Structures are given as structure tokens and as C-alpha cells.
Amino acid sequence: MKKLILVFCLTMGIGGIAQAQILGKLKEKTKAAAEGSVDRSTDKVVDKAVNKTADNVTDKAINKVSEKLNGLFKKKNKKRRDTVAPAIPDTSKAAIKPGN
């Protein structure tokens, strides 16, 4: 009977140690998984915010540059009007002589 009680106590003690080790490992794994999940979700939010801001900044810069270029070309086009006579006379403006 003493042997049976000793075996029972040893089994309970060893089982408790093994269970504690398994639970400790499980606890570490769940912590790592939770941290990884939080990191991924925060990375997604930060990436969206950064990309949106970067897109807005580049869009504004591109719009400003295109407006400046358009303004420059409009000014050049206004200054440059046909100051040089065309090499070939325009027949639509010339008087047509009737051929009798």
C-alpha cells in the first residue's frame, strides 16, 4: 500500500511539473502570437497613413509644377504672335481675278 501511495504521489508531482512546463511554453507562444498580430495591424495602419500623406504631398507638388509650366507656356504663346510673314501666300485671302 505504501508503494501505491508513493507511485501516486510521484505521478501527481511529475504530472504537475510537466503540465507547468507545457503551460509555460504555451504562454510564451500566445504572447509571441499576440505581439505579432498587434505589430502587423499597427504596421498596416501606419503604412496607410504614410502612403496617403506621401501621395497627397506628391500630388500637390506635381499640380504646382504643372501649373507653373502651363503658366510659362501661356506667357510664351501670348508674346509670340505671327510676327513673321508666312513664306507661302494664303490663296484664300488673295483676290481672284476673273478669267474672261
Side-chain angles (χ1 to χ4, degrees), residues 48-64:
K48 282 183 181 180
V50 168
N51 287 340
K52 190 174 184 178
T53 304
D55 288 345
N56 287 341
V57 169
T58 53
D59 288 345
K60 286 180 183 177
I62 289 172
N63 287 338
K64 285 182 182 178

Side-chain angles (χ1 to χ4, degrees), residues 5-6 27 39 51 72 97:
I5 293 175
L6 180 66
K27 183 179 176 182
D39 288 343
N51 287 340
L72 289 175
K97 296 179 184 176

Side-chain angles (χ1 to χ4, degrees), residues 20-76:
Q21 288 177 351
I22 291 172
L23 289 177
K25 288 180 182 178
L26 184 62
K27 183 179 176 182
E28 290 173 12
K29 287 183 181 180
T30 54
K31 274 186 180 180
E35 288 174 358
S37 176
V38 169
D39 288 343
R40 282 192 303 273
S41 62
T42 54
D43 285 344
K44 285 181 183 178
V45 171
V46 170
D47 283 344
K48 282 183 181 180
V50 168
N51 287 340
K52 190 174 184 178
T53 304
D55 288 345
N56 287 341
V57 169
T58 53
D59 288 345
K60 286 180 183 177
I62 289 172
N63 287 338
K64 285 182 182 178
V65 169
S66 64
E67 287 175 6
K68 286 182 181 179
L69 287 175
N70 286 338
L72 289 175
F73 286 121
K74 284 181 183 178
K75 288 179 185 176
K76 285 184 179 179

